[in-house]
Amino acid sequence: MDFSVPGSTADFRRELSATLSSPETRHLLNEVHRRADGMDGDVRDLYRHLGRAGILAPSWPIGHGGRGGDHTETVVLLEELIRHGVPQSLYYISVQIVGSLILQSGTADQKRDLLPRLASGDLTACILFTEPEHGSDLASVTTRAEREKDGPGWVLNGRKTYNLKSAYADIGLCAVRTDEGHSRYEGITLFVVPMDAPGVSVRGLASLADEQFHDIHLTDVRVGPEAVFGDPGGGWSLITRMFAAERSGLDYYVRARHWLELAAAGLAEQGPPTDDELVGLARHRARLDASRLLACRAMQNLAEDRPDISHASLAKWHCSETAQAISWWSLEALGSPVVDPDAAAVGPALEVAYREAPGMTISGGASEVLLDIITGARLLDDVETGSR
Ligand SMILES: Cc1cc2nc3c(=O)[nH]c(=O)nc-3n(C[C@H](O)[C@H](O)[C@H](O)COP(=O)(O)OP(=O)(O)OC[C@H]3O[C@@H](n4cnc5c(N)ncnc54)[C@H](O)[C@@H]3O)c2cc1C
C-alpha cells in the first residue's frame, strides 16, 4: 500500500479550506444551524453552493461531474468538511454511497442522468433498506414490488424505517423483494424511487442524536422500468457491493478525529495535562492512525474496482468503535462538554458527539455482524490456504 499523499491532494486541501471559509459558505452554514432548531438542518442550499465550486465528487471522472482525482482527495474533503463544521451525512449518503454504486454498477443512462446532479448537489439520495423487523438480516426484506398489470412499470408496497436524511432526499435507493427465488439472496431488486412519487410518505422519528430517523410508507407507489437498478432479482450482489462503499469507515474516522482534536484543545485550556490524559490522548491518536489507514485502504480497493466486503467490515468496525471510545473518553477526561467555537449554534460539540456515538456501532452494519463477516472471511482464507 502506498502511504504517500500526492501533491495535488495538498493543493486540493488548500482550495477546500478557502471555499469552506468563504463568507458565502459561512453564511449558508449559519442558515442551516439557524433553521435546524436543535436537529439536523436542511443542507441542500449549502451543498448546491459547494457543488458549484466543484468540490463534492473529487475522485469521480470529469465526464460524470467529478475532478478525476484519487481517493485521497475524498479523504481530505471529508476531513475539511468536518473541520469547518459542515454536516456531512446527506453528502456522504448521496455521493459516497449511492453515487459510488451508480458509478460502479449503473447503466449508461443512469450515470448520465444521476451522477452530474449528485456531484453538483442538485440531487440528493437516501438509503431505504432497513425495515421494522429486518435490519442486519436484509435478505429477509418484505417490501414488495410487482409488475404493473397495465404497463411496463412496477408497483411498490411496504415500509422502511430508521433511514437518515429521507426528508431532504430527492431519490431513495430501495431494497425490495420482487421474486421468491431459490435462496433468500435471490429475488431482491434495487429501485431508485423518487421521494415525491404519489404513495411515498415520510415521517420523522425521534433519535438520541441530532440526526433524525425516518419511517417511510410505500403504498401502491408506481415507478417506471428505468427505476430498476441492476437486474431484476439480482439486487443482493449490488447490496454487497454498496456495503463495501458504505463501510469504508471514512465518515466515522473523520468525526472521531475532530472530536479528539476538540478534546485535546479543551484539556490544554484547563492547564498542563496529567499523565493519564497524555496516555489517553496518545492511545486514541494511535487508534485513529490505524482507522485512517484502514479507511484509506477500503477507499483504494473501491477506486481499483476491487470491493472487499471483509476488509470494509474491518474498517467500519475499527473506525466506529474508535469513534465511540473517543467520544466517551473525551467527556470523561474533560468533565464537562466543550463548546466548539465554529459550531456554537449547534451547542456543545462533544455533548452532541456523546449522543451520536451509540448509533455509530449500529449504522451501516452492527459491530457484532461485522465481526461475524470478518471472522468468517478469515476462516475461509485459512481453509483455502491450508493453514487450518
Ligand atoms: C445512526 C443510524 C443510521 C442509520 N441509517 C440508515 C439508513 O440511512 N438507511 C437504512 O436503511 N437503515 C439505516 N439504519 C438502520 C441500520 O442499518 C440498522 O439499525 C442495522 O442494520 C441493525 O438492524 P436492526 O436495528 O434491525 O437490529 P437487528 O438486526 O435486530 O440487531 C439487533 C442486535 O442483534 C445483533 N445481531 C443481529 N444479527 C446478528 C448475527 N447474525 N450475529 C450476531 N449478532 C447479531 C446486532 O449486532 C444488534 O446488536 C441506521 C441506523 C442507525 C443507528
Side-chain angles (χ1 to χ4, degrees), residues 127-130 134-136 162-164 213 359 362-364 366 368-369:
I127 298 168
L128 304 179
F129 282 8
T130 306
H134 307 108
S136 305
Y162 295 131
N163 31 77
L164 296 182
F213 288 123
I362 302 172
S363 58
E368 295 80 1
V369 173

Side-chain angles (χ1 to χ4, degrees), residues 134-142 177 184-186 188 236 239:
H134 307 108
S136 305
D137 185 16
L138 258 188
S140 298
V141 284
T142 58
R177 184 154 290 286
R184 288 166 359 98
Y185 302 101
E186 293 172 349
I188 295 172
W236 188 256
I239 290 174

